[in-house]
């Protein structure tokens, strides 16, 4: 039997990993991006002829995401299960209690993850916009400032809570925290707020070429604020030189219809799964 070993990820493995993920450019970009961001949480499986698999998780929060990839020619040999157990052990050691993972909906990966104790959570659509600039209604849209944290946190918390309940997911309102406030402040150039009568009614957050999150206050939904802010976000990313704008939307979320009207197209649907490792 082939002798395998689990080793900590080092930057010297980056080009090897990038080269052997040949069957899915989306996965390659995701894994390499995660390794760049969280290299200390990466693991590889090495065999006689080099790196066979790679996995990484995204930090020490109680609920943390994980992704992994096994070289196409080495699948169904137990390597993935071996790696997933090692990643979960590493996560437990830093206080992670719950793991989230996603994959392009298909039976092979679904079977693998279900076999390793993961359960269905929800489906989400990865959507892309490739057109030109969009018309933005005459609303007041400005950069985020720290003094807006309480209002913005409330908009995000209540809006996402309502959405999760509407699509059948368990949910509790997220609470403000100094850690989150610091993250908002450090990322202020990528957060924009829409105000009406000196009240914040919608917030959008950008990351790279992606609309990372957008929310409209629960009492102000259906008034066109979301369309204005999404259009503004698209234009902002195009001004930054992006040729494509991406976003994720949970299946069942009515916001998907808005994105489709703005000419976003669904590129792929992912199943999200979850597992308790306490």
């Amino acid at each position: 039997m082939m002798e395998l070993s689990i080793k900590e990820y080092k930057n010297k493995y980056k080009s090897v990993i990038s080269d052997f993920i040949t069957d899915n450019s989306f996965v390659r970009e995701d894994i390499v991006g995660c390794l760049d961001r969280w290299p200390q949480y990466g693991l590889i499986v090495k065999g006689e002829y080099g790196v066979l698999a790679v996995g990484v998780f995204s930090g020490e929060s109680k609920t943390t995401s994980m992704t992994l990839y096994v070289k196409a020619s080495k699948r169904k040999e137990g390597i993935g299960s071996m790696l997933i157990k090692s990643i979960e052990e590493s996560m437990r050691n830093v206080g992670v209690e719950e793991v989230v993972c996603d994959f392009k909906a298909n039976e092979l990966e679904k079977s693998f993850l279900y076999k390793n104790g993961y359960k269905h959570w929800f489906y989400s659509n990865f959507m892309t916009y490739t057109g030109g600039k969009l018309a933005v209604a005459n609303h007041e849209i400005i950069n985020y400032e720290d003094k807006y944290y309480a209002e913005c946190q409330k908009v995000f918390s209540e809006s996402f809570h309502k959405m999760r309940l509407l699509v059948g997911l368990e949910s509790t309102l997220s609470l403000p925290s100094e850690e989150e406030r610091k993250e908002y402040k450090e990322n202020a150039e990528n957060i924009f707020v829409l105000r009406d009568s000196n009240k914040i009614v919608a917030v959008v957050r950008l990351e790279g070429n992606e609309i990372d999150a957008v929310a409209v206050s629960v009492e102000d939904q259906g008034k066109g604020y979301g369309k204005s802010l999404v259009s503004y976000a698209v234009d902002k990313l195009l001004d930054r030189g992006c040729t494509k704008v991406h976003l994720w939307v949970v299946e069942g979320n009515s916001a998907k219809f808005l994105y489709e009207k703005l000419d976003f197209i669904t590129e792929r649907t992912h199943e999200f799964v979850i597992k308790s490792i306490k």
Side-chain angles (χ1 to χ4, degrees):
M1 181 173 172
M2 177 172 52
E3 192 162 329
L4 303 173
S5 59
I6 301 279
K7 296 187 177 295
E8 292 182 1
Y9 169 79
K10 303 293 183 186
N11 192 56
K12 65 182 180 180
Y13 298 124
K14 181 176 177 178
S15 61
V16 174
I17 290 165
S18 183
D19 287 345
F20 77 58
I21 305 179
T22 57
D23 56 339
N24 195 320
S25 61
F26 182 95
V27 171
R28 180 172 62 246
E29 290 174 13
D30 180 45
I31 287 183
V32 171
C34 288
L35 290 169
D36 283 343
R37 189 168 178 182
W38 299 286
Q40 71 274 35
Y41 302 128
L43 292 174
I44 63 163
V45 179
K46 286 194 78 175
E48 184 180 354
Y49 300 107
V51 180
L52 305 177
V54 58
V56 58
F57 65 97
S58 58
E60 301 180 10
S61 301
K62 285 189 176 181
T63 298
T64 298
S65 63
M66 175 272 298
T67 186
L68 75 159
Y69 182 89
V70 179
K71 199 171 182 178
S73 62
K74 295 297 180 182
R75 292 171 191 165
K76 296 188 177 181
E77 296 182 16
I79 294 172
S81 294
M82 172 184 175
L83 178 57
I84 215 168
K85 286 180 173 60
S86 294
I87 296 171
E88 288 172 359
E89 187 59 32
S90 295
M91 288 191 283
R92 283 191 200 93
N93 290 340
V94 295
V96 175
E97 297 179 358
E98 192 172 53
V99 190
V100 175
C101 183
D102 69 279
F103 56 94
K104 187 176 181 180
N106 70 87
E107 288 302 316
L108 186 65
E109 290 181 57
K110 176 178 179 176
S111 174
F112 165 70
L113 286 163
Y114 281 31
K115 182 181 72 174
N116 281 283
Y118 289 77
K119 296 181 179 180
H120 174 79
W121 192 16
F122 62 90
Y123 289 101
S124 189
N125 301 286
F126 181 72
M127 304 186 76
T128 300
Y129 177 83
T130 56
K133 284 196 165 185
L134 297 170
V136 181
N138 187 27
H139 288 129
E140 181 190 5
I141 300 174
I142 57 176
N143 254 108
Y144 171 83
E145 295 180 41
D146 183 59
K147 63 184 179 182
Y148 301 137
Y149 173 70
E151 280 187 274
C152 290
Q153 194 280 331
K154 183 174 185 289
V155 170
F156 272 128
S157 176
E158 293 181 354
S159 173
F160 279 97
H161 176 61
K162 177 184 175 183
M163 181 276 293
R164 288 190 291 264
L165 292 177
L166 285 173
V167 301
L169 296 173
E170 292 183 8
S171 181
T172 55
L173 289 167
S174 60
L175 300 175
S177 71
E178 283 307 309
E179 181 182 3
E180 183 183 61
R181 184 169 191 154
K182 181 182 177 185
E183 289 174 359
Y184 276 42
K185 188 174 182 179
E186 291 174 349
N187 198 34
E189 64 181 12
N190 290 311
I191 303 174
F192 301 91
V193 301
L194 189 156
R195 299 201 305 176
D196 193 349
S197 303
N198 291 319
K199 172 192 172 188
I200 291 175
V201 296
V203 190
V204 67
R205 185 172 63 235
L206 310 179
E207 182 175 338
N209 67 337
E210 186 172 316
I211 297 176
D212 182 52
V214 60
V216 179
S217 66
V218 170
E219 61 268 30
D220 293 300
Q221 292 177 1
K223 299 179 181 179
Y225 297 131
K227 181 180 179 182
S228 288
L229 200 51
V230 171
S231 298
Y232 180 90
V234 167
D235 291 355
K236 179 66 68 173
L237 291 174
L238 294 179
D239 284 342
R240 292 179 179 181
C242 300
T243 56
K244 294 182 178 181
V245 177
H246 300 302
L247 59 79
W248 288 92
V249 59
V250 174
E251 186 63 35
N253 183 353
S254 60
K256 185 182 179 187
F257 298 114
L258 164 64
Y259 304 142
E260 289 173 338
K261 286 181 180 177
L262 292 173
D263 291 332
F264 278 82
I265 295 172
T266 300
E267 281 196 18
R268 46 199 292 146
T269 298
H270 279 217
E271 181 175 359
F272 283 68
V273 292
I274 194 164
K275 178 182 179 180
S276 171
I277 59 169
K278 287 193 290 185

